[in-house]
C-alpha cells in the first residue's frame, strides 16, 4: 500500500522542481521531504530522484507515479470536500498562496478573521510567485490562491479553476521630492519617456506590466535599478535615483523624500481568489473567499 503523504511529497517535488520548493509549499523541512521520498523509493523498490548538478530530477518512473499521485490527491480532495460539506462548517487544513504585496497587505487581517470566526479551520499561507499561482491551484499543490492581473494583461483562467474578484488595486507614480512632477494633479504616461526607472527584475509580473504599459505609450523605458521588494524600490526613489510605479496594496506609508503623483489613466490591477472548481462546495473555500472580499474592501480595494 503506497503512503499518501509520501505520494504528496513526490507530487510537490514534480510541480516545484526541487525538494526545497516542495518543502516550502508543504510547510515541511527539506529534510522531511527527502525522508518521505526515500521511504517511497523503498516501498516501490524504484529510484525516483536523480541528482543533477546541485538539484534533483525525477526519473521516468517518478514522473508516471507523480501523475498517478495527482489523480489520487484529487479523489481525496473530493472525499474531504463531501465530508466538510456535510458538517456544514469550515474545517481542516486550507493552503493559501498569495503574491508578496497581498501576503503583506491583505492576508494577515483575513487569516486573523478566519481564525476568530472558524476555529476549526487551519488556514496556512505561503508566498508564491503570481506567475505560478494559477498552475499550483490547478495541480492541487495549494487549495486557494490570491492572484492578480493588470488592465493590459488579463489573467488566464484554465479549465477546472474557478475564480472570484476580490477588488481592484490602483497604482501611483512615485517620484523623489523636488521632482518636476511634484505638485501636478495628474501625469500622463506619454510624459514619462525621459525618466529613469526603478522596478522589479525581468520575469516578474510587475516588470512585464511596466514594460508593456510604457511601450503602449510609445517608448522603451530606461530601467536603471531593479529590486524585488517595494521598500527597496522606495529607498532608491527617495535617494533620487529614479521613479517607480508601485501599487497601493501592501506598500505602506511612503518614506520621507518620496511623493505620490496620480497617473492618467490610473493603472489598475484586479485581485482574484482562485480555487479548483471541484472544491467549490467546500465551506472552507466559500468562507475564505468571503473573508478575502471583506478584507479587500477594508484594505481600500474598490
Amino acid at each position: 500500500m503506497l503512503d499518501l503523504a509520501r505520494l504528496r511529497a513526490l507530487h510537490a517535488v514534480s510541480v516545484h522542481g526541487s525538494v526545497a520548493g516542495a518543502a516550502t509549499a508543504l510547510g515541511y523541512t527539506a529534510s522531511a521531504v527527502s525522508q518521505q521520498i526515500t521511504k517511497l523509493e523503498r516501498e516501490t523498490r524504484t529510484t525516483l530522484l536523480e541528482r543533477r548538478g546541485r538539484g534533483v530530477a525525477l526519473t521516468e518512473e517518478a514522473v508516471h507515479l507523480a501523475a498517478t499521485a495527482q489523480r489520487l490527491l484529487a479523489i481525496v480532495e473530493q472525499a474531504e470536500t463531501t465530508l466538510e460539506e456535510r458538517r456544514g462548517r469550515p474545517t481542516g487544513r486550507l493552503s493559501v498562496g498569495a503574491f508578496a504585496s497581498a501576503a503583506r497587505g491583505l492576508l494577515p487581517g483575513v487569516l486573523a478573521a478566519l481564525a476568530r470566526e472558524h476555529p476549526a479551520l487551519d488556514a496556512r499561507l505561503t508566498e508564491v510567485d503570481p506567475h505560478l499561482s494559477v498552475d499550483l491551484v490547478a495541480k492541487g499543490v495549494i487549495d486557494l490562491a490570491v492572484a492578480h492581473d493588470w488592465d493590459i494583461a488579463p489573467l488566464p483562467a484554465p479549465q477546472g479553476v474557478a475564480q472570484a474578484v476580490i477588488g481592484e488595486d490602483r497604482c501611483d507614480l512615485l517620484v523623489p521630492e523636488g521632482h518636476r512632477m511634484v505638485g501636478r494633479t495628474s501625469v500622463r504616461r506619454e510624459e514619462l519617456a525621459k525618466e529613469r526607472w526603478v522596478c522589479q527584475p525581468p520575469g516578474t509580473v510587475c516588470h512585464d506590466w511596466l514594460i508593456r504599459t510604457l511601450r503602449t505609450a510609445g517608448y522603451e523605458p530606461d530601467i536603471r535599478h531593479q529590486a524585488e521588494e517595494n521598500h527597496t524600490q522606495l529607498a532608491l526613489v527617495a535617494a533620487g535615483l529614479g521613479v517607480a510605479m508601485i501599487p497601493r496594496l501592501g506598500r505602506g506609508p511612503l518614506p520621507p523624500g518620496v511623493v505620490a503623483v496620480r497617473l492618467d489613466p490610473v493603472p489598475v490591477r484586479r485581485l482574484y481568489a482562485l480555487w479548483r472548481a471541484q472544491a467549490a462546495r467546500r465551506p472552507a473555500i466559500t468562507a475564505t473567499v468571503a473573508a478575502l472580499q471583506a478584507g479587500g474592501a477594508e484594505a481600500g480595494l474598490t
Side-chain angles (χ1 to χ4, degrees):
M1 180 70 69
L2 296 177
D3 185 274
L4 188 63
R6 293 163 195 167
L7 289 172
R8 190 186 301 275
L10 178 65
H11 176 247
V13 173
S14 74
V15 171
H16 293 279
S18 69
V19 171
T24 298
L26 295 173
Y28 300 157
T29 64
S31 175
V33 172
S34 294
Q35 290 174 16
Q36 294 278 46
I37 300 298
T38 298
K39 291 176 180 177
L40 186 59
E41 287 182 323
R42 286 203 297 266
E43 285 179 348
T44 59
R45 298 184 294 278
T46 304
T47 299
L48 300 174
L49 297 183
E50 295 178 335
R51 188 155 298 280
R52 298 275 179 86
R54 296 183 178 179
V56 295
L58 271 67
T59 63
E60 185 175 348
E61 291 80 3
V63 171
H64 289 292
L65 187 57
T68 301
Q70 182 172 342
R71 294 193 294 272
L72 289 173
L73 291 170
I75 294 171
V76 171
E77 181 182 52
Q78 289 176 350
E80 291 173 340
T81 296
T82 299
L83 288 173
E84 188 179 327
E85 187 180 22
R86 289 177 65 86
R87 295 187 190 105
R89 65 183 188 277
T91 59
R93 180 179 294 190
L94 185 80
S95 55
V96 180
F99 59 95
S101 56
R104 180 172 57 250
L106 177 62
L107 267 299
V110 169
L111 294 174
L114 287 171
R116 287 192 306 270
E117 297 169 14
H118 307 290
L121 176 62
D122 180 15
R124 303 190 179 194
L125 171 66
T126 301
E127 187 176 307
V128 298
D129 187 317
H131 277 309
L132 303 177
S133 57
V134 178
D135 193 47
L136 293 178
V137 169
K139 291 182 176 179
V141 179
I142 56 178
D143 297 311
L144 184 145
V146 178
H148 69 84
D149 64 12
W150 289 97
D151 44 5
I152 62 172
L155 179 74
Q159 186 176 6
V161 174
Q163 64 182 38
V165 175
I166 298 172
E168 291 186 343
D169 186 21
R170 278 154 171 67
C171 183
D172 298 308
L173 173 68
L174 303 179
V175 302
E177 272 185 347
H179 190 276
R180 63 189 177 88
M181 300 292 186
V182 173
R184 294 275 300 273
T185 56
S186 65
V187 174
R188 296 192 63 80
R189 299 173 190 180
E190 293 80 3
E191 300 178 70
L192 303 173
K194 295 182 180 180
E195 296 297 331
R196 296 171 299 174
W197 288 92
V198 177
C199 74
Q200 289 189 332
T204 59
V205 171
C206 289
H207 179 278
D208 296 345
W209 166 78
L210 177 68
I211 296 293
R212 293 177 64 175
T213 296
L214 299 181
R215 282 176 179 168
T216 60
Y219 60 91
E220 193 73 19
D222 178 10
I223 297 176
R224 297 294 182 93
H225 307 286
Q226 301 173 20
E228 288 276 2
E229 291 293 330
N230 285 349
H231 291 165
T232 305
Q233 295 180 45
L234 290 171
L236 293 165
V237 173
L241 297 172
V243 303
M245 280 199 275
I246 300 180
R248 296 173 187 173
L249 179 66
R251 191 175 68 195
L254 296 180
V258 178
V259 179
V261 180
R262 182 180 181 276
L263 284 162
D264 182 21
V266 178
V268 172
R269 64 176 179 177
R270 180 172 291 182
L271 274 66
Y272 299 88
L274 304 170
W275 64 94
R276 286 178 296 286
Q278 67 185 29
R281 305 189 321 274
R282 187 181 175 190
I285 295 290
T286 55
T288 303
V289 172
L292 285 166
Q293 291 172 329
E298 291 179 5
L301 302 180
T302 57

